[in-house]
Amino acid sequence: MAQENGMDIDERGFEKAQAEAKEISKRRKEGKGGEELLKLDIHARGLLEQDTSVPQTDDSAKYFLDPIEAEIKAIFSKSTGFTKSTEDIDESEQIGIILDKTNFYAEQGGQEYDTGHITIDGKADFEVTNVQAYKGYVMHTGYLSSGNLRVGDKVIATYEELRRWPIKNNHTGTHILNFALREVLGMGVDQRGSLVAAEKLRFDFSHNVPAPKLLLS
């Protein structure tokens, strides 16, 4: 097809780029297997609170379906700390992105985080693999797939809807289960924790009141 259209194929360039992509993928997999999730420690959170240019994240859009436009307010990595650009961060390293607003659901209350992408159309793509909240600041953690991102960039935030739906259903399931347990066992049921994931839910509870006798006919 290339020849028919008078185009040449740079096979050596393709093979080089393919080898580089495989190496980056390998390092990322090794990192995921042994590297802890990038988090903001007390020192980093203190710097955020002192920086008036980085407001707490408006996450009200997480209750809606559509992608949103947002602005990058902070970029963080283990090797650079807070930085203005991703240019000096190795492609295999985890990066944290803080936006002025987000439609991603951060992990909280037993419910798992959203995944998705933060993009600049035709220029940059950031794969979000985890989302955590730190006293009002929501950090999207993941890897840069292409291009570079800078503080001040206008981006599109899109969460993975196919992952969100089963998580939402399982979240509803925990509330139904809590209600059903109280209906059957009484108000002595006390929730002690839960896990709400895409593939399953877990509901932990204690019950210190004797169960009511059931009449069988």
Side-chain angles (χ1 to χ4, degrees), residues 8-126:
D8 294 325
I9 298 176
D10 183 3
E11 293 187 16
R12 289 186 178 180
F14 170 78
E15 291 173 357
K16 179 182 178 182
Q18 186 180 52
E20 291 174 351
K22 287 181 178 180
E23 178 62 25
I24 291 171
S25 178
K26 179 182 177 182
R27 295 206 305 269
R28 286 181 179 177
K29 288 179 180 178
E30 291 173 350
K32 289 178 182 178
E35 185 182 4
E36 292 185 0
L37 173 68
L38 178 67
K39 294 184 177 181
L40 296 177
D41 58 20
I42 295 177
H43 174 68
R45 279 177 277 175
L47 292 175
L48 269 182
E49 293 171 357
Q50 295 171 18
D51 190 347
T52 57
S53 68
V54 185
Q56 292 187 344
T57 312
D58 175 6
D59 65 349
S60 58
K62 68 184 180 184
Y63 300 112
F64 303 100
L65 298 177
D66 297 331
I68 65 168
E69 294 183 355
E71 180 181 332
I72 296 177
K73 288 297 184 181
I75 298 172
F76 181 79
S77 78
K78 187 175 181 180
S79 63
T80 64
F82 286 107
T83 182
K84 295 295 184 182
S85 170
T86 61
E87 290 180 352
D88 296 328
I89 304 174
D90 189 276
E91 291 176 303
S92 65
E93 187 177 355
Q94 291 184 73
I95 300 172
I97 303 291
I98 297 176
L99 305 174
D100 62 338
K101 53 183 176 292
T102 186
N103 54 348
F104 283 75
Y105 194 98
E107 182 174 3
Q108 57 186 331
Q111 179 167 330
E112 286 194 346
Y113 47 83
D114 281 332
T115 59
H117 290 266
I118 294 173
T119 59
I120 300 177
D121 191 25
K123 294 184 178 180
D125 178 45
F126 179 79

Side-chain angles (χ1 to χ4, degrees), residues 105 108-112 165-183 189-205:
Y105 194 98
Q108 57 186 331
Q111 179 167 330
E112 286 194 346
W165 276 110
I167 290 177
K168 288 174 63 177
N169 292 339
N170 284 338
H171 189 162
T172 301
T174 61
H175 289 287
I176 294 172
L177 182 57
N178 189 19
F179 175 81
L181 286 168
R182 293 192 173 194
E183 284 289 297
V189 171
D190 185 18
Q191 181 177 349
R192 293 295 185 179
S194 67
L195 169 66
V196 181
E199 67 280 359
K200 65 180 179 180
L201 67 86
R202 191 193 73 240
F203 186 85
D204 307 325
F205 70 97

